[in-house]
Amino acid sequence: MQFDGTSKARRASGEELKHLMFIGAFGEYCIVQEQQAIVVPPDIPFDRACLIGCGVMTGVGAALNVAHIGRADTVMVIGCGAVGLAAVQGARLASAAKIIAVDIDDGKLELAQRMGATRGVNAKREDVAAAAKQESCGRGADVVIEAAGSAAAFPPTVEAVRPGGEVVWLGKIDVNHEVSFRWGALMQEKRIRRSSYGDARPARDFPMLARAYLEGQLMLDELITQRIRLDAINEAFSALRESKVIRSVIMFG
């Protein structure tokens, strides 16, 4: 429902439609509350600005708002889709000394390195925790950000982080799915935080991200694999599930 407890949308039959997260997605028009409308710099094209509102905010926010990344820190990002690539950029903006990108797709790892990662690790061929220790004099990463959304990606996060380090989980899996951890990997004062939106404050963060793009500090164009019309949305979702795209942007009109 909307903030006032009602729904603003109906099917042609008159049946009430609910809104996810107070928005209307994949529609040419939507009705939002005043507090949901965020002004961005007029120079940013809307087909780039649209990426900010979810994946980019979540990834960059995890690095800038949730984690505590210092200039000498080693950061590992597991999963290099749109959210993970944004987290890599967030770690770069936070001035991390080393940024280790982890994925099972070499193409995505190459893109992560273009966006600021200092090393790419293919989890099919390399041990993730060992790579973190290699890049940190044997300690482990200071911060590990998970953005893969795969059950297999969660256990390596706590194995790769150093004692006293931070783990930020961004990915989602089935809420009834169980994930197992080696108990010893949870010791040594490691801190685990679950975040859905990078501690976003949209009125503050969205314009900041737009400015970062316009100033050349944030790469958005490279996240767009294709631009499509609305009638191609099912094919675009299939391509996303098959990891053939980073993001598909719907162009109206």
Side-chain angles (χ1 to χ4, degrees), residues 29-49:
Y29 301 93
C30 64
I31 298 172
V32 300
Q33 300 293 318
E34 182 180 4
Q35 64 263 40
Q36 293 176 262
I38 306 299
V39 177
V40 295
D43 294 338
I44 185 170
F46 283 157
D47 63 341
R48 264 53 64 84

Side-chain angles (χ1 to χ4, degrees), residues 26 28 226-237 248-253:
F26 310 132
E28 293 178 83
Q226 60 181 357
R227 291 172 173 82
I228 63 169
R229 295 298 178 184
L230 184 58
D231 58 7
I233 190 170
N234 289 333
E235 291 85 351
F237 273 125
S248 300
V249 172
I250 300 170
M251 306 297 292
F252 292 100

Side-chain angles (χ1 to χ4, degrees), residues 140-185:
D142 299 288
V143 174
V144 177
I145 299 174
E146 178 281 324
S150 165
F154 291 101
T157 62
V158 292
E159 298 285 355
V161 74
R162 68 167 172 80
E166 291 181 274
V167 175
V168 181
W169 289 338
L170 301 176
K172 294 181 175 69
I173 59 174
D174 188 304
V175 294
N176 294 314
H177 192 103
E178 295 185 359
V179 179
S180 299
F181 297 89
R182 184 178 66 85
W183 182 248

Side-chain angles (χ1 to χ4, degrees), residues 190-213:
K190 296 175 181 179
R191 291 162 288 168
I192 300 172
R193 172 81 181 272
R194 170 78 183 97
S195 176
S196 290
Y197 207 13
D199 270 13
R201 289 174 55 189
R204 173 198 66 185
D205 294 334
F206 286 11
M208 177 272 291
L209 293 172
R211 287 193 301 271
Y213 168 76

